[in-house]
Amino acid sequence: MPITHLLLSLAVVFVWGTNFVVIRWGLDGLPPFLFATLRFAFSALPWLLFVPRPTAPWRKMAAFGVLLGVGQFGLLFLAMQGHISPGLASLVVQIQVFFTIGLSLALMGERVRGFQVVGLLLALAGLGVIALNLNAAVVTWLGLGLVMSAAFFWAGANLVVKSLGPVNMLHFMVWSSVFAVPPLLAISWLVEGPALMQSAITQATPLVWASVLWQALGNTLFGYGVWNWLLARHPAATVTPLALLVPVFGMGASSLSLGEALPGWKLGAAALVLGGLAVIVLWPRLRARLST
């Protein structure tokens, strides 16, 4: 991979990792479902007017938009409103890798491998460490459950992507974002109420609006657009391991920007979860090298 492509990939994982701090800033001024509604609205408009519709079926764009918008980010934003710290959220949500494998086994007939079981056990041990230290962490059982549910819906969105075949993912992200807006807006109206929605929008600070735009432009369009551009030009085994840095940037940014403590148990939990992810992602590549 050329150095310019490596720097681009590092920029993406930096954006994705530090984005958890940006989410925290946005939630200081917006309720979670309204925040998610605005994020996907700005991911779709005005870009929808200039980006051609992808070749993907409408039902798959709708399924992806709802799974990612309502399932992943709606629940993630809800959890991060006082139920879990940004650093821990960036770590726990990576469990989506194991949910993706499990759903692939159940729905697509894929076989489970021994190294996947090892990776899952390591990650579960990391979650166990977090669960044993709930009283010492900025996380509740509700927060942990919400983020794991968000990871499950993210895995569902991944399966939709796996079923697409060749498609321009930047175009797909723009058009699928449209389908996330109506259900998120309806939930915000019913749960958060029109009075809170109106006051939150009218009183939102420049930092809050910058957080919304960063979600739409930086995290969604730049992040997914560049990542998939790299995947189209390099083997997945070269690009995807870099995603292991997302929770590293997430926990580091939360510690530096928000003062989130990083005690030994939290670093140990991170090491176990990241170790499990590393086994899943890197073992096939290492085995291929050893067999040549």
Side-chain angles (χ1 to χ4, degrees):
M1 178 185 292
I3 186 64
T4 53
H5 291 193
L6 177 61
L7 292 174
L8 272 176
S9 63
L10 289 175
V12 171
V13 296
F14 174 80
V15 166
W16 283 347
T18 57
N19 186 56
F20 288 85
V21 171
V22 178
I23 291 172
R24 179 60 267 163
W25 291 338
L27 288 171
D28 287 338
L30 294 170
F33 290 107
L34 177 59
F35 187 13
T37 301
L38 294 171
R39 173 235 170 94
F40 283 94
F42 285 113
S43 295
L45 295 172
W47 324 111
L48 197 69
L49 303 176
F50 309 104
V51 171
R53 186 177 75 84
T55 55
W58 287 105
R59 59 183 176 82
K60 292 190 177 182
M61 287 193 288
F64 181 85
V66 173
L67 288 168
L68 195 75
V70 181
Q72 182 188 346
F73 284 100
L75 295 179
L76 178 64
F77 288 3
L78 181 61
M80 289 183 63
Q81 195 178 45
H83 299 291
I84 190 169
S85 64
L88 278 179
S90 72
L91 177 66
V92 175
V93 79
Q94 301 307 319
I95 298 298
Q96 60 87 15
V97 172
F98 304 101
F99 283 137
T100 301
I101 293 171
L103 289 175
S104 297
L105 292 172
L107 301 177
M108 296 185 172
E110 295 185 6
R111 294 172 51 199
V112 64
R113 310 288 183 178
F115 69 91
Q116 293 171 331
V117 175
V118 172
L120 174 60
L121 292 176
L122 285 172
L124 288 176
L127 291 178
V129 171
I130 295 173
L132 290 173
N133 289 274
L134 284 178
N135 292 333
V138 187
V139 60
T140 64
W141 281 110
L142 177 60
L144 195 60
L146 285 171
V147 176
M148 292 187 68
S149 298
F152 177 81
F153 283 107
W154 186 2
N158 287 340
L159 259 64
V160 175
V161 171
K162 287 181 68 173
S163 71
L164 289 177
V167 65
N168 186 309
M169 278 303 297
L170 178 58
H171 297 177
F172 182 79
M173 288 301 303
V174 169
W175 281 76
S176 64
S177 293
V178 175
F179 295 95
V181 175
L184 283 169
L185 183 61
I187 295 171
S188 180
W189 185 275
L190 293 172
V191 175
E192 296 159 349
L196 178 58
M197 295 169 67
Q198 181 179 3
S199 64
I201 290 177
T202 55
Q203 297 174 22
T205 65
L207 178 60
V208 170
W209 284 114
S211 300
V212 172
L213 292 176
W214 186 251
Q215 293 295 302
L217 304 181
N219 189 56
T220 302
L221 300 184
F222 169 78
Y224 282 96
V226 171
W227 190 257
N228 287 286
W229 182 85
L230 290 167
L231 285 173
R233 286 158 177 78
H234 302 284
T238 300
V239 178
T240 53
L242 293 167
L244 295 172
L245 293 173
V246 170
V248 175
F249 284 126
M251 297 183 77
S254 185
S255 177
L256 292 173
S257 301
L258 304 174
E260 180 177 347
L262 295 176
W265 70 262
K266 191 178 292 186
L267 294 176
L272 287 169
V273 173
L274 289 176
L277 293 172
V279 170
I280 296 291
V281 174
L282 299 178
W283 174 250
R285 186 180 180 186
L286 177 60
R287 184 178 57 187
R289 284 192 174 185
L290 293 174
S291 63
T292 58

